[in-house]
Amino acid sequence: MSEKILASVKVGPSKTELRELELPEIPADAALLKVEVAGVCGTDVSQYRLPLRGAPLIMGHENVGYLTRVGSEFAVRKGFKEGDLVFLEHYLPCGNCEWCHLGEYRHCTATEWFYDPRAIRYGYTSMDIAPGLWGGFSHYVYLPINAVLHNVPRGVTPEEAGVATPMSNGIQWTLIDGGVGCGSTVLIQGPGQQGLCCLMAAKQAGVSRIIVTGTGKDARRLEVANSFGADATVNVQEEDALAVIQKVTDGRGVDVVIDCTGGAGTATLLLGIEATKRRGGTMVIQAEGNQEFPSFPIGRLTRKGMTLKSARGHSYRAVELALLAIASHKFPLELMTTHQFGLAEVDYAIKSVSGEGAPDAIHVSVMPWK
Ligand SMILES: [Zn+2]
Ligand SMILES: [Zn+2]
């Protein structure tokens, strides 16, 4: 007699259905994760609206839970046992390319879901690839031998560990890619969960000045940025952001700019180029896949000797540092983890992240057993 479980299944664009599924048998080289917290991220908002690529799928790629079944080979090779509280990365890497050996699973071609239809990732993979449990908006997630797990440090709750993904991005983009460290001056554009995690990473690194920008709809998020220690917050629709940045940095401009806005067009890059110091600043940017920038001011960029980098996911090391940052309990994370929903409310949870659901959402989680 097989066990029945529940999952929220995406059956079409912006459409989910609660379904009863069978818990699969776990072979010796696999394990099963009982999902406690599955974070909803900005990517989910855009992915949810898209048509299915094939069969329906279970979304949810920021997953924390307990290992409930661990095959004997999985236990030996991975070093995890039943009962462990773990954070699961959304990458399912090949395990033998140069990037995998470096812990840079985001660059492994096996994880390149956006360009390779055969690549599989948690939260993006259709259910016709057996055993179908490839997303966290479900009671359980299936873990093959190439799943990437991190132990959640003692003293950290599943709810706290639920922000490990944005925190990893914050550490990757700010400290590792942006080179932010002791004494740096920093501009963070966009005060959503990613921007706030960049702020926390920068504060822990000992920055001297940090400015966070947003728009009119970000009033609450900018308040939280203040609570997390921003030196100044700016609503770019009401204030001259460049003037504020110059004032806060005594006319020098910032060392590093991190763009965490989504769909804000080219304005944030233009501001970033102007806001960096006279020579040698770094800007870490991200954009939609098809976004273009006609008449990009490349002369201005090179005249200032700037470095432009892309924010794309995180390394294994960034996740380990993120879990330590969470375990330090230096920030009131509960100001950011604003909403939790059950499996039947996945549609509303995703809409809340896009601003069409619950008001003032910053970080939203699905708790499948709620
Ligand atoms: Zn995400
Ligand atoms: Zn690889």
Side-chain angles (χ1 to χ4, degrees):
M1 213 7 229
S2 68
E3 204 178 316
K4 301 282 188 207
I5 65 160
L6 288 175
S8 172
V9 178
K10 179 185 166 186
V11 293
S14 301
K15 200 169 178 340
T16 49
E17 222 174 75
L18 200 56
R19 282 197 189 166
E20 202 177 61
L21 305 172
E22 272 182 23
L23 201 58
E25 290 298 321
I26 301 303
D29 64 350
L32 200 60
L33 180 79
K34 179 173 181 252
V35 183
E36 294 294 323
V37 183
V40 184
C41 104
T43 314
D44 289 322
V45 172
S46 48
Q47 290 298 318
Y48 190 41
R49 294 184 185 132
L50 297 179
L52 294 171
R53 278 188 175 188
L57 74 142
I58 305 169
M59 293 174 66
H61 60 271
E62 304 187 351
N63 302 314
V64 173
Y66 292 99
L67 296 178
T68 50
R69 285 182 206 172
V70 178
S72 54
E73 191 187 332
F74 190 98
V76 169
R77 283 182 54 192
K78 309 286 279 189
F80 288 90
K81 59 184 189 309
E82 286 173 12
D84 284 349
L85 178 62
V86 296
F87 169 71
L88 168 66
E89 294 206 35
H90 65 305
Y91 308 120
L92 281 161
C94 79
N96 49 45
C97 74
E98 61 174 312
W99 297 115
C100 283
H101 286 299
L102 290 166
E104 294 280 8
Y105 308 118
R106 57 191 171 145
H107 299 321
C108 170
T109 53
T111 72
E112 197 39 285
W113 185 89
F114 288 95
Y115 301 107
D116 184 352
R118 291 161 308 167
I120 67 174
R121 260 189 198 205
Y122 286 110
Y124 298 85
T125 301
S126 56
M127 294 175 71
D128 55 358
I129 297 178
L133 301 180
W134 301 113
F137 301 157
S138 163
H139 279 162
Y140 290 93
V141 162
Y142 180 78
L143 309 179
I145 195 76
N146 58 334
V148 181
L149 300 173
H150 298 260
N151 274 307
V152 172
R154 229 174 326 119
V156 174
T157 64
E159 291 77 7
E160 290 168 337
V163 303
T165 302
M167 194 68 92
S168 307
N169 292 339
I171 283 172
Q172 182 74 44
W173 304 344
T174 310
L175 308 189
I176 301 175
D177 296 334
V180 166
C182 184
S184 299
T185 51
V186 185
L187 166 65
I188 292 168
Q189 299 176 295
Q193 50 173 316
Q194 313 288 345
L196 290 172
C197 286
C198 288
L199 167 61
M200 285 186 272
K203 287 298 286 183
Q204 280 207 320
V207 293
S208 69
R209 289 282 185 277
I210 186 155
I211 303 116
V212 180
T213 60
T215 59
K217 66 176 180 4
D218 296 319
R220 175 64 195 144
R221 294 171 176 197
L222 291 174
E223 272 174 36
V224 175
N226 279 318
S227 305
F228 286 175
D231 294 287
T233 54
V234 183
N235 173 350
V236 297
Q237 291 165 330
E238 284 180 356
E239 279 176 277
D240 180 348
L242 193 56
V244 175
I245 294 158
Q246 293 298 341
K247 185 160 170 260
V248 172
T249 59
D250 298 323
R252 283 173 51 84
V254 295
D255 298 311
V256 180
V257 177
I258 319 281
D259 179 12
C260 294
T261 57
T266 56
T268 53
L269 263 84
L270 293 171
L271 172 63
I273 292 172
E274 295 312 313
T276 49
K277 61 184 180 180
R278 187 171 158 268
R279 285 280 192 277
T282 298
M283 186 154 66
V284 184
I285 61 160
Q286 50 189 315
E288 301 290 318
N290 55 0
Q291 192 175 323
E292 292 184 0
F293 196 147
S295 62
F296 180 80
I298 190 141
R300 184 92 180 118
L301 188 90
T302 54
R303 183 66 61 87
K304 292 183 85 172
M306 287 180 65
T307 301
L308 195 58
K309 290 191 172 184
S310 301
R312 279 217 71 191
H314 51 254
S315 58
Y316 182 88
R317 177 169 148 72
V319 179
E320 288 289 305
L321 293 173
L323 289 166
L324 290 176
I326 293 167
S328 76
H329 290 115
K330 278 200 182 135
F331 298 92
L333 284 181
E334 66 279 4
L335 295 179
M336 189 176 83
T337 52
T338 51
H339 294 79
Q340 290 86 30
F341 297 102
L343 271 188
E345 305 162 297
V346 162
D347 178 80
Y348 191 67
I350 297 173
K351 285 179 179 153
S352 296
V353 172
S354 72
E356 300 154 34
D360 285 333
I362 304 179
H363 184 270
V364 175
S365 293
V366 172
M367 306 187 80
W369 300 88
K370 190 180 156 177

